[in-house]
C-alpha cells in the first residue's frame, strides 16, 4: 500500500483517512561510492506530529543496509510497539534467508521491487539477467529466488515462445520458487508464485487454491499479491473469489494499480455486456501491454467503435518489442475458456484486425 504514495506530495493525514494507518514512516537515502546515509522520521498520521527520528551513517555494504533496516525496525517497535507485539522483528531463523551480504544481489532484488509485478517488456530481460546473477552470487538468498521465479513467470505470460521454451521457463520458475520455500518456509511470495505456476500448468483448481491460501495466510496485507491471485482465481474458473480478491486489493490500497479493472472487464465481456466491458478496460493505463491493448481493441470492436478500435490496433503495431503474432496466445496462456477467446477474436475482427489461422 506504500508504493502509490512514493515520490508524491501528500499530507500524513491522507494515510489515516485513506488507509486507516496511524503512523507514517518517511525516509531519505544518500549514497556515494562507499558511504551510506539514511534519515528516518516516524510521524503520527492523525496530527502530523513527529514522534521519532534518526540518522544512520555507515559503509555501503549489503550487510550494513540490513543492519540499518533492523535498527529502524527496532526504533519503530520501541516507539509504537505494545506488550502484545503489534510490530515484530523478523524471526531469527528467517534472517539469513531474507537478507544477503552481497550488495549486487541486494540491488538486483531492489531493481525488481522497483518495477513490481508489472515490469515492462523492455525492462524484463535486464531484470531477469540481474536476478539470475543474484542467485549465483548468493545461492541462499530466498528473496532473490522468489523474485527470479516472478520474472520468469512474467516472461512466460507475455512473450511468444515455442512449446519447449515455454515449458522450460515454467520448470525454471517452479524450481526457483521451491528453492525459495526450502530456504524460507514463510516466504509468502514464493507460495504465490507456485500457485500461479500451478494454474498456468493446468494442474487443477484445488492445487492452485491450496498454494494461494498458503500465500494469503502468510501475508494477508500485500495488495498486489492479493489482486493477482484474484486474477488467477478468475482464470481458474472461480469467478466470485477472483472478483472478491481483486475487490479486497482495492479496499486495502485506494490507489490500486489500474490492472485491477481487468477481471471486471473479463466478467462483463464473457457475459456479452460489451459497453460495461469497454468502460472497465479503458481505465487500465498499460499502453505497452499487448494483452490489455488487444482486449481494449476487442471491446471497441464489439460496441461498433471501429475508429477507436483501429487506433488501438495501430498502437499495438508500434509496441516494442513487438507483440506476438497470434492474439489468442495471452488468453490461452492464462487458461481462459475457448468461447471467451472466440468472442475476443470476433471483436478484434470487427475492429479491423486480420486474425491469423488458429494453429492449436
Amino acid at each position: 500500500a506504500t508504493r502509490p504514495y512514493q515520490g508524491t506530495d501528500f499530507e500524513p493525514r491522507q494515510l489515516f483517512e485513506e488507509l486507516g494507518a496511524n503512523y507514517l514512516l518517511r525516509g531519505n537515502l544518500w549514497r556515494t561510492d562507499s558511504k551510506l546515509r539514511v534519515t528516518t522520521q516516524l510521524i503520527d498520521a492523525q496530527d502530523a506530529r513527529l514522534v521519532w527520528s534518526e540518522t544512520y551513517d555507515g559503509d555501503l555494504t549489503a550487510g550494513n543496509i540490513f543492519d540499518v533496516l533492523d535498527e529502524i525496525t527496532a526504533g519503530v517497535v520501541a516507539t509504537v510497539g505494545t506488550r502484545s507485539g503489534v510490530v515484530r522483528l523478523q524471526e531469527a531463523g528467517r534472517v539469513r534467508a531474507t537478507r544477503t551480504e552481497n550488495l549486487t544481489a541486494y540491488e538486483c532484488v531492489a531493481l525488481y521491487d522497483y518495477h513490481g509485478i508489472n515490469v515492462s517488456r523492455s525492462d524484463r530481460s535486464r531484470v531477469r539477467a540481474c536476478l539470475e546473477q543474484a542467485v549465483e552470487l548468493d545461492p541462499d538468498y530466498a528473496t532473490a529466488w522468489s523474485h527470479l521465479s516472478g520474472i520468469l513467470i512474467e516472461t512466460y505470460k507475455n512473450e511468444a515462445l515455442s512449446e519447449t521454451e515455454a515449458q522450460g521457463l515454467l520448470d525454471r520458475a517452479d524450481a526457483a520458487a521451491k528453492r525459495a520455500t526450502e530456504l524460507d518456509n514463510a516466504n509468502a511470495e514464493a507460495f504465490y508464485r507456485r500457485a500461479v505456476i500451478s494454474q498456468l500448468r493446468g494442474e487443477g483448481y484445488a492445487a492452485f487454491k491450496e498454494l494461494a491460501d498458503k500465500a494469503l495466510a502468510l501475508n494477508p496485507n500485500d495488495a498486489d499479491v492479493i489482486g493477482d491471485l484474484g486474477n488467477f482465481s478468475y482464470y481458474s474458473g472461480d469467478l466470485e473469489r477472483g472478483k472478491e480478491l481483486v475487490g479486497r486489493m482495492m479496499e486495502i490500497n485506494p490507489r490500486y494499480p489500474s490492472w485491477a479493472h481487468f477481471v471486471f472487464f473479463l466478467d462483463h465481456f464473457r457475459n456479452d455486456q460489451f459497453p460495461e466491458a469497454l468502460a472497465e478496460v479503458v481505465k487500465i493505463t498499460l499502453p505497452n501491454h499487448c494483452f490489455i491493448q488487444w482486449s481494449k481493441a476487442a471491446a471497441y470492436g464489439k460496441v461498433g467503435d471501429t475508429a477507436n478500435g483501429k487506433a488501438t490496433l495501430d498502437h499495438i503495431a508500434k509496441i516494442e518489442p513487438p507483440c506476438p503474432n497470434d492474439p489468442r496466445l495471452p488468453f490461452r496462456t492464462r487458461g481462459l475458456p475457448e468461447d471467451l477467446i472466440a468472442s475476443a477474436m470476433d471483436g478484434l475482427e470487427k475492429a479491423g484486425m486480420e486474425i491469423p489461422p488458429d494453429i492449436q
Side-chain angles (χ1 to χ4, degrees), residues 326 328 332 356-360:
D326 190 345
R328 302 176 187 89
R332 284 185 176 148
D358 191 352
I359 59 174
Q360 177 176 307

Side-chain angles (χ1 to χ4, degrees), residues 17-218:
E17 293 173 348
E18 296 179 10
L19 300 180
N22 293 314
Y23 296 95
L24 163 66
L25 183 63
R26 175 176 282 163
N28 289 292
L29 182 148
W30 290 267
R31 167 182 171 177
T32 65
D33 289 339
S34 60
K35 296 293 181 181
L36 177 75
R37 166 169 285 191
V38 179
T39 63
T40 58
Q41 295 178 325
L42 186 68
I43 299 167
D44 190 308
Q46 296 187 59
D47 58 14
R49 177 175 55 90
L50 178 67
V51 295
W52 172 79
S53 66
E54 191 60 80
T55 299
Y56 303 91
D57 292 292
D59 294 330
L60 181 60
T61 66
N64 193 47
I65 290 172
F66 283 111
D67 290 340
V68 170
L69 291 175
D70 288 345
E71 288 187 45
I72 292 171
T73 305
V76 173
V77 170
T79 304
V80 303
T82 66
R83 289 183 182 180
S84 60
V86 295
V87 182
R88 294 182 297 137
L89 293 172
Q90 282 184 314
E91 300 91 332
R94 295 188 60 215
V95 169
R96 174 63 192 96
T98 57
R99 61 190 297 173
T100 181
E101 297 299 320
N102 188 286
L103 184 59
T104 299
Y106 174 79
E107 289 180 333
C108 291
V109 163
L111 179 65
Y112 183 82
D113 287 336
Y114 173 78
H115 289 288
I117 63 174
N118 292 305
V119 59
S120 68
R121 296 187 76 206
S122 59
D123 289 320
R124 193 175 297 129
S125 59
R126 180 168 65 96
V127 175
R128 176 179 167 183
C130 197
L131 287 168
E132 287 173 337
Q133 181 186 22
V135 297
E136 289 182 4
L137 292 169
D138 188 347
D140 295 326
Y141 190 12
T143 308
W145 283 108
S146 57
H147 281 18
L148 176 59
S149 179
I151 200 67
L152 293 171
I153 291 169
E154 291 304 307
T155 304
Y156 172 87
K157 288 194 303 180
N158 295 296
E159 296 185 14
L161 304 165
S162 69
E163 185 175 346
T164 300
E165 289 173 324
Q167 184 59 50
L169 269 181
L170 275 192
D171 289 345
R172 290 187 60 204
D174 192 36
K178 287 177 177 175
R179 176 60 178 156
T181 55
E182 289 170 1
L183 292 165
D184 175 16
N185 63 6
N187 186 318
E189 180 195 9
F191 284 102
Y192 151 56
R193 303 299 182 194
R194 289 176 60 184
V196 169
I197 293 164
S198 175
Q199 194 277 341
L200 292 173
R201 283 177 164 170
E203 294 177 350
Y205 183 62
F208 162 79
K209 188 174 184 298
E210 180 180 357
L211 291 163
D213 286 348
K214 176 76 170 178
L216 293 171
L218 286 168

Side-chain angles (χ1 to χ4, degrees), residues 257-322:
S258 63
W259 54 258
H261 293 278
F262 192 68
V263 156
F264 303 108
F265 155 76
L266 284 176
D267 203 54
H268 287 303
F269 199 94
R270 74 187 302 158
N271 288 299
D272 296 338
Q273 299 165 341
F274 302 119
E276 293 85 351
L278 178 61
E280 293 291 340
V281 77
V282 296
K283 296 174 184 176
I284 304 175
T285 54
L286 293 172
N288 296 317
H289 196 294
C290 301
F291 189 27
I292 298 300
Q293 295 305 313
W294 272 323
S295 298
K296 185 188 296 186
Y300 278 129
K302 286 290 194 179
V303 300
D305 188 345
T306 55
N308 276 313
K310 184 178 184 305
T312 304
L313 292 173
D314 289 343
H315 168 75
I316 292 169
K318 298 174 184 176
I319 293 176
E320 292 292 343

